[in-house]
Amino acid sequence: MKVIIVGGVAGGASCAARLRRLDEHAEIVMVERGPYVSFANCGLPYHVGGVIEHESDLLVANEQVFRGHFAVDCRTGCEAVGVDPVAKTVQLRDVASGAVTAESYDTLVLAPGAASVRPPIPGIDLPGVFSVRTVPDAREIREWIERGTSFLAGMDRYSGFQTVRPKRHAVVVGGGFIGLEMAENLVHRDFDVTVIELADQLLAPLDAEYGNLVKDFLEMHGVHVVVGDGVASFSQQDDESLVVSTRSGRELPADVVIVALGVRPETTLATMAGLEIGERGGIKVDDQMRTSDPSIFAVGDAVEVRDFVTGEQSLIALAGPANRQARIAADVIAGRDAHFRGTQGTSIIQLFGAAAAWTGASEKSLRRVGDDDYERVYLYPNSHAGYYPGAKPIAMKVLFRTSDGRLLGAQAIGEDGVDKRIGDLALAIQLGATVYDLEEAELCYAPPFGSAKDPVNFAGMVAAGVLRGDMPVSHWDSGGDAFLLDVREPVELAVEQVPGAVNIPLGQLRSRLDELPRDREIRVICRSGQRAYTATRCLQQNGFDASVLSGGMLSRVLWPTP
Amino acid sequence: MKVIIVGGVAGGASCAARLRRLDEHAEIVMVERGPYVSFANCGLPYHVGGVIEHESDLLVANEQVFRGHFAVDCRTGCEAVGVDPVAKTVQLRDVASGAVTAESYDTLVLAPGAASVRPPIPGIDLPGVFSVRTVPDAREIREWIERGTSFLAGMDRYSGFQTVRPKRHAVVVGGGFIGLEMAENLVHRDFDVTVIELADQLLAPLDAEYGNLVKDFLEMHGVHVVVGDGVASFSQQDDESLVVSTRSGRELPADVVIVALGVRPETTLATMAGLEIGERGGIKVDDQMRTSDPSIFAVGDAVEVRDFVTGEQSLIALAGPANRQARIAADVIAGRDAHFRGTQGTSIIQLFGAAAAWTGASEKSLRRVGDDDYERVYLYPNSHAGYYPGAKPIAMKVLFRTSDGRLLGAQAIGEDGVDKRIGDLALAIQLGATVYDLEEAELCYAPPFGSAKDPVNFAGMVAAGVLRGDMPVSHWDSGGDAFLLDVREPVELAVEQVPGAVNIPLGQLRSRLDELPRDREIRVICRSGQRAYTATRCLQQNGFDASVLSGGMLSRVLWPTP
Ligand SMILES: Cc1cc2nc3c(=O)[nH]c(=O)nc-3n(C[C@H](O)[C@H](O)[C@H](O)COP(=O)(O)OP(=O)(O)OC[C@H]3O[C@@H](n4cnc5c(N)ncnc54)[C@H](O)[C@@H]3O)c2cc1C
Ligand SMILES: Cc1cc2nc3c(=O)[nH]c(=O)nc-3n(C[C@H](O)[C@H](O)[C@H](O)COP(=O)(O)OP(=O)(O)OC[C@H]3O[C@@H](n4cnc5c(N)ncnc54)[C@H](O)[C@@H]3O)c2cc1C
Ligand SMILES: CC(C)(COP(=O)(O)OP(=O)(O)OC[C@H]1O[C@@H](n2cnc3c(N)ncnc32)[C@H](O)[C@@H]1OP(=O)(O)O)[C@@H](O)C(=O)NCCC(=O)NCCS
Ligand SMILES: CC(C)(COP(=O)(O)OP(=O)(O)OC[C@H]1O[C@@H](n2cnc3c(N)ncnc32)[C@H](O)[C@@H]1OP(=O)(O)O)[C@@H](O)C(=O)NCCC(=O)NCCS
């Protein structure tokens, strides 16, 4: 059996390694047009930022390892430029010499990844405008930045107290995860950074109100964020610096521009081979990663897969799924029975020491598929026991099915413990858990690590309370003309009040029920929703129509106050 | 309905709060003999160590909150001293005045916790010998320690380079989690600490080889650890300091002694009431937390419960289960249908910035119930991508059912990410996951937080490889006379070699197969087991009888070299 694998990074390299382990005698050829195989794309922004110091740190494996450990005929600088699916041959072009040869296969694996989207914006090819996809990309950005640094030496301004180095400007076009990682790393490199995003929120997979949180947080860290505006053109000044002009007429100076507008599946070869392309523009595969040609498999960023929760076709450009798909393809090629279970899109991004993460369905994606059998709750549990130093609140939004309690999705933001909780919830979704299961989860508790009731338990308890009818919930964006009852202590009102809300501290509620209307919906507010819940239980059982304003005052920042 | 709850901390207080939410009109009395309700027992060691600065930080709620927010008749300094289950009354003694009154109940909840074990060792009541269970306990220890501090002032020695404060000595009797937390916190308080444990390992729920790891780690941090030795007596010197004499004849000086020999369920009232006591000495309850008297419920450290994995009855003195049991008892009392699903014993302990954690069955517990339908693997994945700074290996031991792949238990130790992975695996056990499910888990990956293949995926992949027959495993304690093949690079041997092992680097293996015996079992060694696995696959498919030495050189420290 001869297998040719096109692409030598996450998908291709993992497939080659697994296939060798399963079949010692297969002939395996892996071709990569770039200079490196098995590199860490995901580390590129951090290499630009200097967090990952050496370029060589990004090279997880290399040709020697593939030849020596895995007996794989690994060829870098070798591009597949054509496929003949009938003759079962691939045309390979040696990048250095340009020479093209044909190589036959029994099975072909396409793992060509995705290409950075670079729309035909005037000036996009000017020097100083970069994409971030490969090691050479990162090297060019570093070199560009460092050249600029020496140019700045000696230009310090003196403020009367201290010398001040003038800040250079960076513009990041695109507010997806690569864009925001680049923005942060350019701040570390001492740039004044502006992110421009055409959509009206950052991090599209998040729901809008969480996108707002991320925006606020970045702004707190000095990043300028422009949403709802696109780039009209890039132009070069006399001093070689750039100007980014936006559709709405902004003119932003830039010493460096990063274009991070997302990626588009690399389907050139697949199209040549006449393979079916899916509705979202990725190579179409079955759950064994087989394309419409049974001798050709495809994996990774190039393919589209089924969303595990919504069942939609989706493009998920993430390394975990790419690795798993590659392993499954190798299994199937080696004659085993393996199936990809779809993707939950579990993702995380580090942001100035904090993190934003999500898994499963968002409210947006549920609405897109016309699913309204869900409810949402917002909560802000501590990352570990509040009495142990360093606990940080985690903002969590949890989505679950109203009819059966199944967990559908979760989003979280915070300075500590976000990865852990979204990981837990991702596993719960994978295993078909309900919010009732989360109530009973037995996670690690000692004061530095969690709480006797972990955030995951709280998520389950709150959601289950909603489903059991114990905790009717409302939201700041629920609309309608409800009576607002604030059960916080007077001292808390000094910090922040809700216009129109009536204050009865929880401790006085039972003796002041006669102050409340029996003919109106009452929304109960406290700091996080917890006291409001106790109050709501009391009101419900006394015949009032009450609900908890989910997440209380802490949720208020999610929506611009009307 | 009138409910009396005995005990006002994790179990009692949670039960009271939940019951009020479910039933606004129940009469709820909660009695606590100590001065505080709702305190954080789990924070006590850290308060002694000064990490949690103020005693008041430990008080999570108080009488006022119970009266005001929850309309609970909360009485501190009030001890239940008798129960008449026929008359349905409890005798309550006012601790201050000694006055005893009878109070009737419809339903009684026992949440009296557990008492620190204090065996009748001569001298155990001497001043300076403490247990750690309550806020007053912690206060006494702090006061004792601080008194000692002023005594030491002016006693600094001068070394020629610097002044050296003489170290005071502390002896911790018992190597369970409270003992080790106290040991660490006493080191923070500048004591020279010795831990004495009668069993031959620390942290009894861990398997012995992991207990060894913990011992080594504590010793690296300057704690003296004595295992396999017990205390014979405590005695007082003329200068009021103590000497701890052990059974084997050791004499250890001590300025403070902590006795942390575990806890024993508080069953005094239960016995008075004629309730059934279980085989392990805890109050016997059904899965609705009902005792043998249908009007009496019991929760928390006082009860014994079913082990979720082994089905054994067990005593699990942990706050998470106590809180959940209390919530379930409240549900049942309020007429709802709720069931406790048993406990996995998920635990974690912080140790000098690192952590040890476990969940589900240990090998010991499986052997105890005569279960040999399991296999174990050892692995050492990085806490996050190796190319991003700060990644630390996590030592993981994973146990799974041979017949169906079900995950049974896991133990982990490391400086980063241990809580996250044991939490994931705990959730997986709860949800009945197999190791095949772990292979497919889609957790959070960005370089600072994980890897494209998370440690949880690796655990699943390695275990699944074993079950599929792809990765026969052996262990350093497997015994037998196998041929040892070391596939590391020569440079690695310079650091550490295995006597008798033959070295053929992986890259040369395929061309040197004729150097290997065809009539003997070959155990393949590398650093972590990963290259050994690739080698094993190659050998297997070439007709050799090969296995991976699980965890490779990194596992070697688990067993004293023969
Ligand atoms: C800056 C950045 C940060 C990222 N951060 C994260 C993260 O934090 N977490 C996460 O999960 N994912 C992250 N990703 C995404 C992740 O890297 C990808 O999902 C993953 O690498 C996809 O694997 P792949 O094998 O499909 O494609 P790639 O890794 O892109 O590999 C495809 C390879 O195929 C080669 N190729 C293409 N066509 C041909 C041809 N015709 N002939 C020969 N070779 C060809 C390309 O040169 C390329 O090297 C990040 C990506 C980038 C760019
Ligand atoms: C030092 C220490 C550290 C710990 N660390 C952790 C940890 O990190 N993680 C973890 O999960 N667990 C930890 N625990 C265990 C955890 O605190 C217990 O499992 C939990 O508190 C048990 O709850 P409970 O309600 O059953 O008992 P308790 O919390 O002990 O409460 C019982 C209360 O009942 C009162 N009482 C008893 N008898 C009577 C009576 N007759 N009348 C009136 N009142 C009575 C007692 O005074 C006591 O306050 C730790 C415990 C200690 C002591
Ligand atoms: C380097 C690379 C080729 C390795 O591929 P690989 O060998 O399949 O994958 P890993 O190194 O993750 O190892 C996984 C294998 O080792 C095994 N393994 C892991 N730890 C082990 C241990 N302690 N003992 C035995 N086996 C072990 C696993 O079971 C698995 O084998 P399997 O798939 O046959 O079950 C590939 O991961 C790669 O190219 N990575 C970099 C590119 C990339 O992913 N970029 C995007 C993210 S930045
Ligand atoms: C303080 C104490 C009495 C609180 O009891 P409690 O109110 O049941 O528990 P919590 O404060 O954890 O809150 C949980 C409740 O609030 C609800 N809740 C949590 N976050 C919420 C939010 N954001 N919005 C609405 N409700 C919320 C939960 O659903 C749950 O209610 P439920 O049980 O009716 O579903 C109890 O936890 C205690 O005594 N703790 C200290 C003692 C202890 O545990 N010691 C051992 C560990 S150190």
Side-chain angles (χ1 to χ4, degrees):
Chain A
M1 177 173 61
K2 179 168 174 187
V3 181
I4 298 182
I5 299 173
V6 178
V9 190
S14 299
C15 185
R18 171 74 174 169
L19 189 57
R20 172 55 71 229
R21 288 190 292 266
L22 296 184
D23 186 346
E24 182 62 20
H25 305 295
E27 186 181 345
I28 306 175
V29 181
M30 179 169 84
V31 301
E32 165 57 53
R33 69 176 163 210
Y36 306 111
V37 292
S38 286
F39 65 86
N41 333 43
C42 318
L44 298 172
Y46 298 98
H47 180 50
V48 171
V51 178
I52 298 173
E53 202 177 333
H54 305 292
E55 187 177 287
S56 60
D57 291 338
L58 296 172
L59 308 177
V60 180
N62 57 34
E63 277 191 73
Q64 286 65 50
V65 166
F66 274 96
R67 293 179 186 279
H69 291 187
F70 295 113
V72 166
D73 180 355
C74 171
R75 311 180 196 165
T76 55
C78 176
E79 181 173 18
V81 291
V83 190
D84 181 338
V86 180
K88 290 194 167 187
T89 55
V90 181
Q91 315 304 318
L92 300 179
R93 190 175 69 92
D94 183 84
V95 173
S97 69
V100 175
T101 51
E103 183 110 14
S104 69
Y105 63 80
D106 297 307
T107 302
L108 176 65
V109 179
L110 299 178
S116 300
V117 170
R118 282 179 81 86
I121 300 169
I124 196 164
D125 293 321
L126 283 172
V129 181
F130 298 96
S131 296
V132 200
R133 180 88 203 163
T134 64
V135 174
D137 287 344
R139 191 185 303 152
E140 283 172 27
I141 298 171
R142 279 178 72 107
E143 282 168 3
W144 180 267
I145 287 174
E146 274 147 28
R147 208 179 47 185
T149 311
S150 63
F151 166 75
L152 278 180
M155 291 187 51
D156 294 358
R157 204 160 49 79
Y158 178 63
S159 75
F161 286 93
Q162 55 193 159
T163 52
V164 182
R165 168 140 310 182
K167 285 232 177 198
R168 289 180 293 160
H169 294 89
V171 172
V172 173
V173 187
F177 78 83
I178 297 178
L180 299 193
E181 284 179 348
M182 286 304 301
E184 170 170 356
N185 278 289
L186 289 167
V187 169
H188 296 332
R189 284 297 195 117
D190 223 20
F191 279 86
D192 184 76
V193 180
T194 302
V195 174
I196 307 178
E197 167 59 53
L198 184 58
D200 52 13
Q201 72 164 83
L202 300 177
L203 293 176
L206 289 176
D207 283 321
E209 72 277 21
Y210 265 50
N212 292 346
L213 271 193
V214 171
K215 177 168 179 287
D216 290 351
F217 186 74
L218 290 178
E219 286 172 342
M220 254 178 55
H221 283 84
V223 177
H224 313 285
V225 180
V226 177
V227 292
D229 198 2
V231 174
S233 69
F234 304 100
S235 53
Q236 203 169 32
Q237 306 295 95
D238 292 342
D239 65 356
E240 296 207 341
S241 76
L242 298 159
V243 168
V244 181
S245 309
T246 73
R247 299 188 190 177
S248 76
R250 286 185 177 84
E251 302 263 297
L252 303 163
D255 298 284
V256 62
V257 172
I258 306 293
V259 177
L261 287 165
V263 294
R264 185 175 295 136
E266 181 56 84
T267 53
T268 323
L269 287 175
T271 307
M272 276 181 188
L275 303 181
E276 209 176 313
I277 302 297
E279 60 197 71
R280 302 291 304 277
I283 304 175
K284 191 153 183 116
V285 290
D286 64 15
D287 71 351
Q288 298 201 309
M289 310 316 296
R290 207 182 265 107
T291 67
S292 54
D293 178 331
S295 303
I296 307 182
F297 291 74
V299 301
D301 288 1
V303 306
E304 58 179 59
V305 290
R306 206 181 60 86
D307 183 286
F308 184 74
V309 178
T310 65
E312 279 185 300
Q313 284 301 102
S314 62
L315 292 172
I316 296 286
L318 290 172
N323 272 279
R324 279 194 295 287
Q325 291 162 12
R327 194 163 174 265
I328 286 166
D331 281 16
V332 175
I333 294 168
R336 299 193 175 199
D337 189 37
H339 300 266
F340 185 63
R341 37 175 289 293
T343 179
Q344 299 167 213
T346 311
S347 304
I348 189 163
I349 171 175
Q350 180 175 257
L351 293 168
F352 295 99
W358 57 91
T359 185
S362 63
E363 224 181 320
K364 265 196 298 208
S365 64
L366 291 173
R367 283 211 216 97
R368 196 164 52 225
V369 296
D371 184 346
D372 56 10
D373 179 17
Y374 74 88
E375 183 52 276
R376 57 179 158 138
V377 291
Y378 298 91
L379 61 164
Y380 302 86
N382 274 326
S383 56
H384 62 245
Y387 56 81
Y388 189 91
K392 306 281 180 186
I394 303 177
M396 293 173 81
K397 175 178 185 176
V398 180
L399 294 158
F400 48 98
R401 199 166 286 301
T402 316
S403 52
D404 62 6
R406 215 185 114 191
L407 184 65
L408 298 175
Q411 298 165 37
I413 296 186
E415 293 179 85
D416 183 36
V418 165
D419 55 333
K420 179 158 89 167
R421 276 43 177 246
I422 290 295
D424 287 338
L425 296 175
L427 200 58
I429 291 175
Q430 177 197 347
L431 297 170
T434 64
V435 297
Y436 310 111
D437 293 318
L438 300 184
E439 288 184 282
E440 302 302 322
E442 197 178 322
L443 303 173
C444 293
Y445 166 51
F449 302 104
S451 294
K453 290 169 194 150
D454 192 85
V456 168
N457 298 121
F458 277 125
M461 289 157 66
V462 171
V466 172
L467 293 182
R468 292 192 185 106
D470 293 336
M471 196 191 303
V473 275
S474 49
H475 302 285
W476 288 100
D477 64 345
S478 290
D481 174 40
F483 181 92
L484 295 180
L485 169 66
D486 189 333
V487 296
R488 292 178 298 157
E489 298 301 312
V491 60
E492 298 176 78
L493 301 193
V495 181
E496 193 182 12
Q497 294 200 27
V498 183
V502 170
N503 178 234
I504 304 181
L506 176 55
Q508 301 172 18
L509 184 64
R510 290 180 180 86
S511 59
R512 292 174 61 184
L513 291 177
D514 54 355
E515 298 174 32
L516 295 172
R518 295 205 166 259
D519 55 352
R520 259 178 96 183
E521 182 199 342
I522 301 174
R523 290 194 190 141
V524 190
I525 303 170
C526 68
R527 182 162 180 276
S528 72
Q530 205 164 353
R531 281 171 289 172
Y533 165 48
T534 297
T536 295
R537 292 297 301 152
C538 167
L539 293 174
Q540 269 190 318
Q541 294 177 63
N542 280 292
F544 292 90
D545 172 15
S547 69
V548 175
L549 223 158
S550 189
M553 296 306 292
L554 296 174
S555 278
R556 218 179 168 209
V557 64
L558 294 172
W559 295 275
T561 318
Chain B
M1 178 172 62
K2 178 167 174 188
V3 182
I4 299 183
I5 299 173
V6 178
V9 189
S14 299
C15 185
R18 171 74 173 169
L19 189 57
R20 172 55 70 230
R21 287 190 293 266
L22 296 184
D23 186 347
E24 182 63 19
H25 305 295
E27 186 182 346
I28 306 174
V29 180
M30 179 169 84
V31 301
E32 165 58 53
R33 69 176 162 210
Y36 305 112
V37 293
S38 285
F39 65 86
N41 333 42
C42 317
L44 298 173
Y46 298 98
H47 180 50
V48 171
V51 178
I52 298 173
E53 202 177 333
H54 305 291
E55 187 177 285
S56 59
D57 291 339
L58 297 172
L59 307 177
V60 179
N62 57 32
E63 278 191 71
Q64 286 65 49
V65 167
F66 274 95
R67 293 179 186 278
H69 291 187
F70 295 114
V72 166
D73 179 355
C74 172
R75 311 182 194 164
T76 55
C78 176
E79 182 172 19
V81 290
V83 189
D84 181 338
V86 179
K88 291 197 168 185
T89 54
V90 182
Q91 315 305 317
L92 300 179
R93 191 175 69 92
D94 183 83
V95 174
S97 69
V100 176
T101 49
E103 183 110 13
S104 68
Y105 63 80
D106 298 306
T107 302
L108 176 66
V109 179
L110 298 179
S116 301
V117 170
R118 282 180 81 87
I121 300 169
I124 196 163
D125 293 321
L126 282 171
V129 181
F130 298 96
S131 297
V132 199
R133 180 88 203 164
T134 64
V135 174
D137 287 345
R139 191 186 302 152
E140 283 172 25
I141 298 171
R142 280 179 70 108
E143 282 169 3
W144 181 266
I145 287 174
E146 274 148 26
R147 208 178 48 183
T149 311
S150 62
F151 167 74
L152 278 180
M155 292 186 52
D156 293 359
R157 204 160 48 77
Y158 179 62
S159 75
F161 285 94
Q162 55 194 158
T163 52
V164 183
R165 168 140 309 183
K167 284 232 177 197
R168 289 180 294 160
H169 294 90
V171 172
V172 174
V173 187
F177 77 84
I178 297 177
L180 299 193
E181 284 180 347
M182 286 304 301
E184 170 169 355
N185 278 290
L186 289 167
V187 169
H188 295 332
R189 283 297 195 117
D190 222 22
F191 279 87
D192 184 76
V193 180
T194 303
V195 175
I196 308 179
E197 167 59 53
L198 184 58
D200 52 12
Q201 71 164 83
L202 299 177
L203 293 177
L206 289 176
D207 283 321
E209 71 277 21
Y210 265 50
N212 292 345
L213 271 192
V214 171
K215 177 168 179 287
D216 291 351
F217 186 74
L218 291 178
E219 286 172 344
M220 254 177 56
H221 283 84
V223 176
H224 312 285
V225 180
V226 177
V227 291
D229 198 0
V231 173
S233 69
F234 304 98
S235 51
Q236 204 170 33
Q237 304 297 94
D238 291 343
D239 65 353
E240 297 207 338
S241 76
L242 299 159
V243 168
V244 182
S245 309
T246 73
R247 300 190 188 175
S248 76
R250 286 186 175 84
E251 301 263 297
L252 303 163
D255 298 284
V256 63
V257 172
I258 306 294
V259 176
L261 286 165
V263 294
R264 185 175 295 136
E266 181 56 83
T267 53
T268 323
L269 288 176
T271 308
M272 277 182 188
L275 304 181
E276 210 177 312
I277 302 297
E279 59 197 72
R280 302 292 304 278
I283 304 175
K284 192 154 180 113
V285 290
D286 64 14
D287 71 350
Q288 296 202 310
M289 309 316 297
R290 208 183 264 107
T291 67
S292 54
D293 178 330
S295 302
I296 308 182
F297 291 74
V299 302
D301 288 2
V303 306
E304 58 180 59
V305 290
R306 207 181 60 86
D307 183 286
F308 185 74
V309 177
T310 65
E312 278 185 302
Q313 283 302 102
S314 62
L315 293 172
I316 295 286
L318 290 173
N323 272 279
R324 278 194 294 288
Q325 292 162 12
R327 194 163 175 265
I328 287 166
D331 281 15
V332 174
I333 294 168
R336 299 193 174 199
D337 189 37
H339 300 267
F340 186 61
R341 36 175 291 291
T343 178
Q344 300 167 210
T346 310
S347 304
I348 188 163
I349 170 175
Q350 180 175 258
L351 294 168
F352 295 99
W358 56 91
T359 184
S362 63
E363 226 181 320
K364 266 196 298 207
S365 64
L366 291 172
R367 283 212 216 95
R368 197 164 51 225
V369 296
D371 184 346
D372 57 10
D373 179 17
Y374 73 87
E375 184 52 277
R376 57 180 158 138
V377 291
Y378 298 91
L379 61 163
Y380 302 86
N382 274 325
S383 57
H384 62 245
Y387 56 80
Y388 188 90
K392 305 282 180 185
I394 302 177
M396 294 173 80
K397 175 179 185 175
V398 180
L399 294 158
F400 48 98
R401 199 166 286 301
T402 316
S403 51
D404 62 6
R406 213 185 116 191
L407 183 65
L408 297 175
Q411 298 164 38
I413 296 187
E415 293 178 84
D416 183 37
V418 165
D419 55 332
K420 179 159 89 167
R421 277 44 178 243
I422 290 295
D424 287 339
L425 296 176
L427 199 59
I429 291 175
Q430 177 197 347
L431 297 170
T434 63
V435 298
Y436 309 112
D437 292 318
L438 301 183
E439 288 184 283
E440 302 302 321
E442 195 177 322
L443 303 173
C444 293
Y445 167 51
F449 302 103
S451 295
K453 290 169 194 150
D454 192 85
V456 168
N457 298 121
F458 277 126
M461 290 158 67
V462 171
V466 172
L467 293 183
R468 293 191 184 107
D470 293 337
M471 195 191 304
V473 274
S474 49
H475 301 285
W476 289 100
D477 64 345
S478 290
D481 174 40
F483 181 92
L484 295 180
L485 170 65
D486 189 334
V487 297
R488 291 179 299 157
E489 298 301 311
V491 60
E492 298 175 78
L493 301 193
V495 181
E496 192 182 13
Q497 293 199 28
V498 183
V502 170
N503 177 234
I504 304 181
L506 177 56
Q508 300 172 19
L509 183 65
R510 290 180 179 87
S511 58
R512 291 174 60 184
L513 291 177
D514 53 355
E515 297 174 33
L516 295 172
R518 295 205 165 259
D519 54 352
R520 261 179 93 185
E521 183 200 340
I522 301 175
R523 289 193 191 143
V524 190
I525 304 170
C526 68
R527 182 163 179 276
S528 72
Q530 206 165 353
R531 280 171 289 171
Y533 165 49
T534 297
T536 295
R537 293 298 300 153
C538 166
L539 293 175
Q540 270 190 318
Q541 293 176 65
N542 281 290
F544 292 91
D545 172 16
S547 70
V548 174
L549 223 158
S550 188
M553 297 306 292
L554 296 174
S555 277
R556 219 177 169 213
V557 65
L558 294 172
W559 295 276
T561 318

